[in-house]
């Protein structure tokens, strides 16, 4: 499958969805672990969610990714800048 951003399932065909589900099952079973070294994951949590945030970080690090976490309470959002700024 060609690398691209996945924002909605509407852009995928049935065979692509099946391929994603099969890959997810292989990862869950431990028979396949993708090499994500060199990739950066950015977690954007706008509401407190300790367990979810840390479980995401642990999973991403297990895949070899660098993790960047965004914390709105310590960002320029406090100065009324937009997220896009």
């Amino acid at each position: 499958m060609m690398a691209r951003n996945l924002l909605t399932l509407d852009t995928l065909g049935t065979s692509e969805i099946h391929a994603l589900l099969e890959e997810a099952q292989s990862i869950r079973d431990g028979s396949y672990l993708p090499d994500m070294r060199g990739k950066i994951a950015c977690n954007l949590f706008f509401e407190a969610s300790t367990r979810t945030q840390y479980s995401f970080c642990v999973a991403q690090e297990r895949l070899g990714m660098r993790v960047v976490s965004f914390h709105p309470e310590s960002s320029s959002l406090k100065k009324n800048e937009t997220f896009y700024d």
Side-chain angles (χ1 to χ4, degrees):
M1 188 182 312
M2 187 174 90
R4 64 182 194 220
N5 294 322
L6 177 60
L7 302 176
T8 176
L9 292 177
D10 294 338
T11 62
L12 298 178
T14 304
S15 62
E16 291 174 301
I17 293 171
H18 283 287
L20 282 172
L21 292 172
E22 287 175 14
E23 185 173 342
Q25 186 65 50
S26 296
I27 292 169
R28 183 175 188 200
D29 295 342
S31 60
Y32 171 70
L33 193 61
D35 181 10
M36 303 298 283
R37 288 178 292 186
K39 302 288 184 188
I40 298 173
C42 185
N43 295 321
L44 308 171
F45 286 88
F46 290 93
E47 294 186 25
S49 181
T50 305
R51 286 179 295 185
T52 303
Q53 180 179 352
Y54 286 105
S55 65
F56 276 45
C57 288
V58 168
Q60 291 157 340
E61 288 176 2
R62 283 184 180 170
L63 292 172
M65 300 174 88
R66 290 180 43 209
V67 178
V68 175
S69 292
F70 174 77
H71 302 282
E73 67 279 355
S74 62
S75 74
S76 294
L77 291 175
K78 288 289 191 185
K79 299 187 296 185
N80 292 324
E81 289 185 16
T82 69
F83 175 71
Y84 296 104
D85 288 338

